[in-house]
């Protein structure tokens, strides 16, 4: 008995601020198969001789069927059409794995990859954002007297957590008697009557269980943990494992949204802790609602990271940010990367080098899942990061 034909692929991008949507229905795999498409305000439906696919929209989103326009067929892509939509643009988009911290809260820090406890039952009395990395260069514009912050560093106290662009700064002093990640050794050098702490070349902080790089030591008591490697939960909650790919996408999307809103920065250089640039990112929009039905790919069998993508990429709606990207590994796009590095409007985000490669793999996979006509914009590749 012949297997039932798979329904055509569906791609829908709805822009909340623009109040419009692009719907693409892929070509049926079997030639001559008729597809009946019905669009309703809260859903759309596709019928073939083999069955019916019904996709529901979120409650706050409505399509306007009578506004359908721009109907065209592209070989290799399928049927394209645009229509107006009604969506609450004031709705605040919250990533699925939001790590917003609250002062006066007991928290436990976990390794995201394996669930190992890094810091247990830490009460955070102060949770403060750090200024931008180049804040010291701007002090001269603010002060009419000598720089009062010269040669001073911002280090958290015992119950502080400072939040940077892509990292947390915490004080590990009170946790030295507890099981802790592997910290790099340090040297002390005397200068007059004072001891100065001087890190050795290797200051990486590594999870004892899975050996993943979690961060780096900044001083004898201060440690930087990368947001992509740590899960912070209220201590009364049990650790719940989050698949790697959705977690990385959500964290990076949240970073891009916050930086673009606070600093009007839309271009980013993703660099590793080895200071090499791995990806150039250009943020296009942060208000997309994405629905796509994907076929299982053979590439997912080769990379466990992509298995997470296949499992989460159902026809459920996802909030997403749309980006342009260029890979910079193996000396690719070297000249452009160099010009971006010297451009003050480009913001650098530092992550572990392995995480940069994971992000590049996710972006490439998300790009390959798009309809052919949407995969490139000029020389850049297009991708969505789901939240």
């Amino acid at each position: 008995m012949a297997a039932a034909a798979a329904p055509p692929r569906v791609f829908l991008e709805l822009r909340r601020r623009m109040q419009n949507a692009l719907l693409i229905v892929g070509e049926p795999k079997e030639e001559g198969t008729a597809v009946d498409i019905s669009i309703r305000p809260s859903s759309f439906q596709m019928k073939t001789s083999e069955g019916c696919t019904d996709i529901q929209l979120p409650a706050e989103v409505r399509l306007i069927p009578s506004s359908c326009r721009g109907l065209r067929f592209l070989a290799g892509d399928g049927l394209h059409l645009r229509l107006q939509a009604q969506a609450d643009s004031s709705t605040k988009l919250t990533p699925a794995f939001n790590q917003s911290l609250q002062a006066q809260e007991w928290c436990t820090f976990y390794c995201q990859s394996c669930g190992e406890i890094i810091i247990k039952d830490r009460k955070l009395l102060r949770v403060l954002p750090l200024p931008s990395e180049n804040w010291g260069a701007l002090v001269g514009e603010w002060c009419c007297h000598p720089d009062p912050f010269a040669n001073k560093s911002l280090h958290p106290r015992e119950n502080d957590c400072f939040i940077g662009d892509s990292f947390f700064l915490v004080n590990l002093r009170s946790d030295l008697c507890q099981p802790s990640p592997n910290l790099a050794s340090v040297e002390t050098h005397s200068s007059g009557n004072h001891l100065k702490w001087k890190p050795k070349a290797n200051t990486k902080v590594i999870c004892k269980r899975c050996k993943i790089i979690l961060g780096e030591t900044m001083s004898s008591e201060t440690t930087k943990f990368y947001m992509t490697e740590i899960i912070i939960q209220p201590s009364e909650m049990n650790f719940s494992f989050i698949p790697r790919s959705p977690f990385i996408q959500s964290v990076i999307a949240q970073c891009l949204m916050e930086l673009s809103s606070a600093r009007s920065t839309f271009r980013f250089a993703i660099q590793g802790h080895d200071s090499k640039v791995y990806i150039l990112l250009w943020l296009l929009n942060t208000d997309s609602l994405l629905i796509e039905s994907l076929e299982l790919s053979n590439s997912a069998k080769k990379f466990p990271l992509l298995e997470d993508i296949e499992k989460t990429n159902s026809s459920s709606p996802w909030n997403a940010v749309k980006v342009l990207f260029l890979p910079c590994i193996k000396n690719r796009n070297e000249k452009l990367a160099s010009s971006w590095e010297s451009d003050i409007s480009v913001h650098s985000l530092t992550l572990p080098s392995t995480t940069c490669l994971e992000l590049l793999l996710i972006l490439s996979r998300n790009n390959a899942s798009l309809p052919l006509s949407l995969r490139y914009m000029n020389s850049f590749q297009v991708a969505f990061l789901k939240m």
Side-chain angles (χ1 to χ4, degrees):
M1 184 175 179
R9 290 181 55 187
V10 175
F11 174 88
L12 172 72
E13 182 193 4
L14 187 146
R15 294 288 307 280
R16 294 176 185 270
R17 294 194 187 97
M18 304 294 291
Q19 301 283 295
N20 61 30
L22 169 65
L23 175 64
I24 300 178
V25 179
E27 299 181 66
K29 286 196 170 183
E30 296 184 4
E31 292 186 8
T33 301
V35 181
D36 182 20
I37 303 171
S38 299
I39 300 177
R40 308 185 191 95
S42 60
S43 66
F44 57 91
Q45 186 182 79
M46 293 182 303
K47 287 183 180 179
T48 66
S49 58
E50 302 294 339
C52 175
T53 301
D54 198 359
I55 298 178
Q56 299 292 323
L57 298 174
E60 71 274 12
V61 174
R62 288 288 182 269
L63 298 177
I64 304 177
S66 60
S67 66
C68 178
R69 66 189 189 282
L71 188 66
R72 59 177 179 153
F73 180 85
L74 293 181
D77 253 14
L79 185 67
H80 287 231
L81 59 95
R82 292 186 178 274
L83 62 164
Q84 295 177 4
Q86 295 175 339
D88 186 0
S89 59
S90 64
T91 302
K92 185 176 181 181
L93 304 185
T94 303
F97 313 116
N98 191 15
Q99 299 210 81
S100 58
L101 299 178
Q102 301 294 329
Q104 309 298 324
E105 185 176 49
W106 289 91
C107 295
T108 297
F109 290 54
Y110 299 91
C111 170
Q112 191 276 327
S113 297
C114 69
E116 176 77 1
I117 294 178
I118 308 303
I119 301 176
K120 186 176 181 179
D121 296 337
R122 169 70 67 88
K123 186 173 185 180
L124 302 177
L125 298 180
R126 296 194 306 170
V127 178
L128 302 173
L130 287 169
S132 62
E133 294 181 0
N134 60 343
W135 69 275
L138 300 176
V139 171
E141 303 295 329
W142 301 337
C143 301
C144 58
H145 49 77
D147 183 0
F149 307 107
N151 302 320
K152 292 184 179 180
S153 300
L154 297 174
H155 292 295
R157 298 174 184 172
E158 188 173 318
N159 294 101
D160 292 345
C161 180
F162 293 169
I163 302 178
D165 296 337
S166 59
F167 59 87
F168 304 106
L169 277 188
V170 295
N171 188 307
L172 290 186
R173 181 179 181 181
S174 62
D175 295 272
L176 294 180
C177 59
Q178 300 180 9
S180 60
N182 292 328
L183 302 179
S185 57
V186 299
E187 298 174 336
T188 56
H189 296 267
S190 61
S191 175
N193 296 324
H194 302 281
L195 285 177
K196 289 187 176 181
W197 181 89
K198 182 179 180 181
K200 288 185 178 180
N202 181 15
T203 60
K204 294 191 290 288
V205 178
I206 300 172
C207 177
K208 283 185 174 181
R209 180 188 292 177
C210 65
K211 308 305 179 185
I212 291 292
I213 296 176
L214 303 175
E216 57 184 292
T217 54
M218 306 300 292
S219 74
S220 57
E221 297 176 356
T222 302
T223 299
K224 173 198 288 187
F225 289 116
Y226 295 111
M227 290 181 180
T228 53
E229 316 307 316
I230 292 289
I231 289 181
I232 306 175
Q233 292 183 339
S235 294
E236 65 268 15
M237 293 177 57
N238 294 324
F239 176 79
S240 56
F241 176 74
I242 299 172
R244 182 68 176 158
S245 169
F247 181 78
I248 291 178
Q249 292 190 69
S250 182
V251 170
I252 297 300
Q254 185 176 10
C255 286
L256 300 182
M257 288 175 61
E258 291 178 353
L259 288 169
S260 64
S261 175
R263 303 178 190 172
S264 297
T265 298
F266 303 96
R267 291 186 296 162
F268 303 87
I270 310 298
Q271 64 181 26
H273 63 278
D274 54 7
S275 299
K276 295 180 181 178
V277 176
Y278 286 76
I279 311 168
L280 301 179
L281 272 182
W282 198 324
L283 180 63
L284 285 187
N285 66 64
T286 61
D287 65 335
S288 291
L289 178 75
L290 199 65
I291 296 176
E292 54 182 347
S293 60
L294 300 177
E295 303 168 355
L296 295 178
S297 64
N298 293 327
S299 59
K301 301 175 183 178
K302 301 178 182 178
F303 301 100
L305 179 72
L306 296 183
E307 292 181 3
D308 296 336
I309 299 179
E310 302 287 5
K311 292 174 184 176
T312 55
N313 272 346
S314 65
S315 57
S316 300
W318 287 84
N319 292 319
V321 300
K322 188 176 184 179
V323 298
L324 306 179
F325 75 97
L326 284 176
C328 297
I329 58 175
K330 297 182 179 179
N331 298 322
R332 295 173 65 183
N333 302 299
E334 193 173 9
K335 289 184 178 179
L336 184 58
S338 178
S339 67
W340 276 38
E341 284 185 278
S342 59
D343 191 332
I344 61 173
S345 66
V346 176
H347 190 85
S348 294
L349 284 177
T350 301
L351 305 170
S353 299
T354 52
T355 303
C356 294
L357 293 174
E358 286 179 319
L359 177 59
L360 180 56
L361 186 61
I362 291 169
L363 289 169
S364 299
R365 174 64 184 87
N366 289 355
N367 170 265
S369 72
L370 293 175
L372 290 172
S373 62
L374 303 183
R375 293 181 187 177
Y376 290 90
M377 187 176 292
N378 296 328
S379 60
F380 283 81
Q381 294 176 257
V382 181
F384 290 88
L385 291 173
K386 301 181 180 67
M387 295 188 287

